Amino acid sequence: MALAKLSSKSQIVLPAEICRRLKIKPGDMLEIAEGDNAIVIRKAEKSALEALDACGSKLWQGYDRELEEAREEWNP
């Protein structure tokens, strides 16, 4: 079991081994839940648009703006 110390600013540092195993990188969003005297931290799922935008293909770059424009045409 890995241990982490809470700082005076209520911050913790995740152990490097866990970050590598879960492929958590700086800037990733984490979900935090509480219950039964426990805290659960999970890597948040990326949205479909973020996944498309991160895709190496130039075809999907900027698709989120195009999709938003199409939505505005349908729902003025």
Side-chain angles (χ1 to χ4, degrees):
M1 175 188 302
L3 295 175
K5 186 176 182 179
L6 187 67
S7 77
S8 62
K9 294 182 180 182
S10 298
Q11 298 170 329
I12 61 169
V13 175
L14 299 176
E17 180 182 323
I18 292 174
C19 290
R20 280 192 297 271
R21 194 170 41 235
L22 297 178
K23 299 178 182 170
I24 296 173
K25 300 177 295 298
D28 284 348
M29 295 297 291
L30 303 174
E31 295 176 357
I32 302 171
E34 67 169 305
D36 296 332
N37 200 30
I39 299 170
V40 177
I41 301 173
R42 291 187 183 97
K43 184 176 179 180
E45 295 291 326
K46 289 187 176 182
S47 72
L49 286 178
E50 286 176 354
L52 284 175
D53 205 37
C55 182
S57 172
K58 294 290 184 187
L59 176 66
W60 299 110
Q61 297 295 322
Y63 183 68
D64 56 337
R65 290 185 301 276
E66 188 176 330
L67 182 60
E68 193 60 38
E69 290 171 5
R71 285 182 178 149
E72 288 176 8
E73 286 180 20
W74 282 93
N75 298 315

